Amino acid sequence: GENVGLHLPTLSVQEGDNSIINCAYSNSASDYFIWYKQESGKGPQFIIDIRSNMDKRQGQRVTVLLNKTVKHLSLQIAATQPGDSAVYFCAENTGFNKFYFGSGTKLNVKP
Amino acid sequence: DGGITQSPKYLFRKEGQNVTLSCEQNLNHDAMYWYRQDPGQGLRLIYYSQIVNDFQKGDIAEGYSVSREKKESFPLTVTSAQKNPTAFYLCASTQRGGGDSYEQYFGPGTRLTVT
């Protein structure tokens, strides 16, 4: 499968600080990316997506940045809250409705 | 969890038995997927179906089988040929090539334990 990996398996941040979770992908043909949040024992929840014709997309407290030159994706969470503690995955789509997922980064938010 | 249901949430089976995991969606999505998740790992694609009566193997299809007789249903059978079946299984659906979004909606998952 495609290599969608993450630089850091675990990230600890203080409540109120901003969090940045990184992801590297290997297929330059990937044209669509998604960030998911997964809480323990539950299915992944969609956070935000971005197409390859964009460099940045903002949602509520979250921003995704895409650098196609170095095949890098990041998720920024502003004012991190305890409820943000979860595992975050990036996924890439190269067409044909087939997705490849990274192994995930665990975000720990310290009160 | 969107409009996708998986049942049961926990499933226990003895080694050598086949077991079928249910996945139903009411989102009218064409495409459905089965993933396997092991502790500390990402999701690995088992099977996917783009349309009714059609499905393709994913990266780890050996020991699994699926059917897609109805648009809303995509059951997964874990056969006795699957060497390491204990895992968390996730079903998902997405719109088939529609619009600007390929957002996948996931079900709550089924945790299968085989002893």
Side-chain angles (χ1 to χ4, degrees), chain A residues 7-69:
Chain A
H7 296 307
L8 299 172
T10 305
L11 177 65
S12 293
V13 299
Q14 204 68 39
E15 180 179 358
D17 288 350
N18 296 335
S19 303
I20 300 176
I21 300 171
N22 297 303
C23 177
Y25 64 95
S26 60
N27 191 337
S28 57
S30 294
D31 62 358
Y32 179 73
F33 305 86
I34 305 175
W35 277 102
Y36 287 95
K37 173 186 180 183
Q38 186 178 26
E39 296 175 327
S40 181
K42 296 183 179 180
Q45 289 179 288
F46 173 93
I47 301 174
I48 192 168
D49 60 355
I50 189 168
R51 284 213 159 270
S52 59
N53 60 355
M54 302 172 69
D55 297 322
K56 179 179 179 179
R57 191 173 188 197
Q58 287 185 293
Q60 187 176 13
R61 282 202 308 121
V62 295
T63 300
V64 55
L65 299 177
L66 176 62
N67 186 331
K68 294 179 288 294
T69 302

Side-chain angles (χ1 to χ4, degrees), chain B residues 36-39 82 84-89 111-115:
Chain B
R36 171 186 171 133
Q37 187 175 36
D38 293 286
Q82 167 52 233
N84 187 19
T86 295
F88 189 48
Y89 290 88
R111 187 165 298 280
L112 173 65
T113 302
V114 177
T115 57

